[in-house]
Amino acid sequence: MTKKTAAPKPLPIRHYVRVMILIAVIVLIADLIISITSIIIVRQQSTRYLKDTAALYINRINHDFAYMNHYMGWTLANDETLNTMNAYRINSIEFLKSNENLHKKFTELQKNYGQEYNFFYYLKNQSYFLNCAPISVNYPDYLELKRQIISFIDDKEVYEKFYSKWTPVLVNGKYYVINIVPYYNRYLIGLISADNLIRPLREINLGESGYASLVDDHGTVLSSPVSNSGKAVRGEGRFSLLQQPRTTISSEFLNTTFSADMVIKFGAFEKIMIAQLLIVLLFFMVISSLSIIMIFLNRRVLGPIQSFSENLARINEESQPADYKGSKIIELEQANSQFKDLVQQIKTFKIAMYEQELEKQQIQLDYMKQQIKPHFFLNCLTSIYSMAQIQMYQEIEDMAMTTSKYFRYLFQNGENFVPLESEIEHVQMYLEIQKQRYRDAFSYQVELPEEARNVKIPPLVLQTFIENSVKYAISRENEMQITLTVQRCQLEEGINGTRIELSDNGPGFPPEVLEKLQGGLPLDQTKGTHIGIMNTLKRLEYLYYNLAGVTFTNLPGSGACVTLYLPDLPEPAAERKLDL
């Protein structure tokens, strides 16, 4: 028999509550770790992204500066426009045409690199200063720029300070970045305001309080003190780094005296962190509240519920009376009161159901036994009819007498259990009846030890399987052999019992029938076949409370084998008529 797997042990409610709290704490800690790690990773990735973006912009500006330096230098050295302008008077046609051509060239240059760039030229011999492209500088700043540039040109160190080097200058409180390219007494000047130069970096998200600025070699901020969100940048106190972490990225321009600084303040990430900490605090408050509620529930609710559950578990323990404890919960008090009445009703109901089940089983057993008796009786009549067809008169007389004795004993015996010795005598009588029909077509052998003669078994059990062997195994070609062997043995769980084996050398069970018998499936009885086997199995199931076992096998070579394992019943059960 298959060993059953032990069912999981049931646990109280407080166990599941503790498990839920433990899981919640673990999830909380994991969430906190993941949140901090995520903030660090996102900050690192954002900083790396901003560094790469700033590097790309700085490289582009360096390329633009280098190209404009080269373009202005090439124009001064190789373009005849400025030579013509320097050779003619300012109001001459040649000067004006050359001025127009120069203006067109630098206007195209301005379109390629942005309207923020301003270009001027200065003819020292004629003291003539004018823009050679549209300008974005207001007039007061223009006049101040003109004054400062002329003063720079008059300075003997102009080559060292400004040649091919973009340098910041302060004009009316606002910084500009200029580059002066000289060639003899002619000069070309490129100019852009510090705010316009830094504007693309300010479009990058550096946080709500982050900002980008231009800083010279002395640390002076050249651009306006405005954050990327448009707010004025306030001075940072002593504890500013603790209040709001910051990351500064500094990128230097080539051939300049200034650099670009980006101050990243991840205000959004700090808010996320604060939100996470608030969630943690809230969770701890919830855990504390749950703990207090658990203590209260344990004393006021879980304890009485557990006591009530134990009372429910004692319903089937008739020897142990239920212990009803008082509770301050009205519903449980009412349930306890109803529970007392329910236990009494259940006991009464169980007794009624038990008696009905006994009556039902008695009716089923009587019906099955009545099915078996006519079944065998009809088989005997069929056998007598067959012998009459071949005029076996003496055999008919002997078989009729034997059959009469057999059924006389059978109908007189209404017990559910008979001695094994009596059952085997009936089997031998049945076999003798069949031998009168088939003569030498089969032989049989019975082995019954002395200690098994008085064992009680249900009547007609062995006869049913013997009848099946005779019906399907007898052949006119070969002699059939039927063997019945009885042994006393010990069954599962230490129960004493009897092992009865019936075998023959016939064709064996058909595969489809054997498969159903071994699988415990019912056989098809619609055509009037297999009635005896199925009824016998049902009788064994009822009479032995599912403790009996029957196995069906086919022997190697040929033949069928049926083995019965019948446990010993208590003496009173073996003597009464199904008093279950």
Side-chain angles (χ1 to χ4, degrees), residues 465-506:
F465 296 110
I466 290 292
E467 178 185 351
N468 194 68
S469 295
V470 172
K471 180 177 180 181
Y472 293 103
I474 288 182
S475 173
R476 296 295 183 182
E477 298 178 357
N478 300 316
E479 181 183 10
M480 183 188 72
Q481 295 180 353
I482 298 177
T483 303
L484 192 155
T485 304
V486 180
Q487 289 181 347
R488 293 288 292 165
C489 64
Q490 194 173 44
L491 306 181
E492 293 184 2
E493 300 179 359
I495 300 176
N496 294 327
T498 304
R499 178 180 181 274
I500 305 174
E501 182 179 284
L502 299 97
S503 61
D504 60 57
N505 61 344

Side-chain angles (χ1 to χ4, degrees), residues 84-112:
T84 303
M85 293 174 65
N86 195 41
Y88 290 91
R89 288 179 294 121
I90 297 174
N91 295 326
S92 65
I93 296 175
E94 289 81 2
F95 183 92
L96 295 175
K97 288 183 178 180
S98 298
N99 184 37
E100 184 179 357
N101 291 333
L102 183 65
H103 195 276
K104 289 180 179 178
K105 291 180 180 181
F106 277 89
T107 300
E108 290 297 324
L109 180 65
Q110 190 183 57
K111 289 180 180 179
N112 292 332

Side-chain angles (χ1 to χ4, degrees), residues 332-533:
L332 285 180
E333 282 292 333
Q334 294 175 351
N336 278 334
S337 176
Q338 295 175 0
F339 178 70
K340 296 178 182 179
D341 299 334
L342 179 62
V343 170
Q344 296 299 327
Q345 294 177 9
I346 289 176
K347 289 182 179 180
T348 304
F349 181 74
K350 285 176 63 177
I351 294 173
M353 289 294 295
Y354 186 69
E355 292 176 350
Q356 292 179 4
E357 185 64 22
L358 290 179
E359 183 179 357
K360 176 182 176 182
Q361 291 184 6
Q362 181 66 58
I363 294 173
Q364 288 179 335
L365 287 176
D366 291 341
Y367 173 74
M368 288 187 291
K369 287 170 64 176
Q370 293 301 322
Q371 275 190 313
I372 294 173
K373 293 173 183 178
H375 182 66
F376 177 67
F377 180 70
L378 293 176
N379 285 340
C380 291
L381 292 179
T382 302
S383 299
I384 294 174
Y385 174 76
S386 299
M387 288 187 290
Q389 286 183 322
I390 57 176
Q391 299 180 356
M392 300 171 63
Y393 301 117
Q394 183 61 43
E395 288 78 359
I396 292 174
E397 292 180 4
D398 295 338
M399 186 171 183
M401 183 58 66
T402 305
T403 303
S404 175
K405 294 179 180 179
Y406 181 84
F407 277 102
R408 182 180 298 110
Y409 176 84
L410 187 64
F411 289 137
Q412 289 177 353
N413 190 351
E415 298 292 334
N416 291 303
F417 293 93
V418 296
L420 179 58
E421 181 179 15
S422 299
E423 179 67 11
I424 291 180
E425 288 178 359
H426 286 295
V427 169
Q428 290 176 326
M429 188 177 300
Y430 169 79
L431 292 174
E432 288 299 327
I433 293 173
Q434 298 300 333
K435 287 195 65 155
Q436 292 181 19
R437 175 183 177 186
Y438 296 106
R439 294 187 178 274
D440 299 327
F442 75 93
S443 62
Y444 65 90
Q445 179 181 356
V446 178
E447 297 180 6
L448 177 62
E450 187 66 29
E451 63 272 15
R453 290 182 178 273
N454 294 323
V455 173
K456 301 290 186 177
I457 70 168
L460 304 179
V461 171
L462 303 182
Q463 182 265 334
T464 299
F465 296 110
I466 290 292
E467 178 185 351
N468 194 68
S469 295
V470 172
K471 180 177 180 181
Y472 293 103
I474 288 182
S475 173
R476 296 295 183 182
E477 298 178 357
N478 300 316
E479 181 183 10
M480 183 188 72
Q481 295 180 353
I482 298 177
T483 303
L484 192 155
T485 304
V486 180
Q487 289 181 347
R488 293 288 292 165
C489 64
Q490 194 173 44
L491 306 181
E492 293 184 2
E493 300 179 359
I495 300 176
N496 294 327
T498 304
R499 178 180 181 274
I500 305 174
E501 182 179 284
L502 299 97
S503 61
D504 60 57
N505 61 344
F509 294 104
E512 62 276 7
V513 174
L514 181 61
E515 182 180 358
K516 289 185 176 182
L517 290 174
Q518 291 178 341
L521 301 176
L523 300 179
D524 184 13
Q525 305 177 54
T526 57
K527 298 180 180 180
T529 58
H530 310 303
I531 296 176
I533 292 179

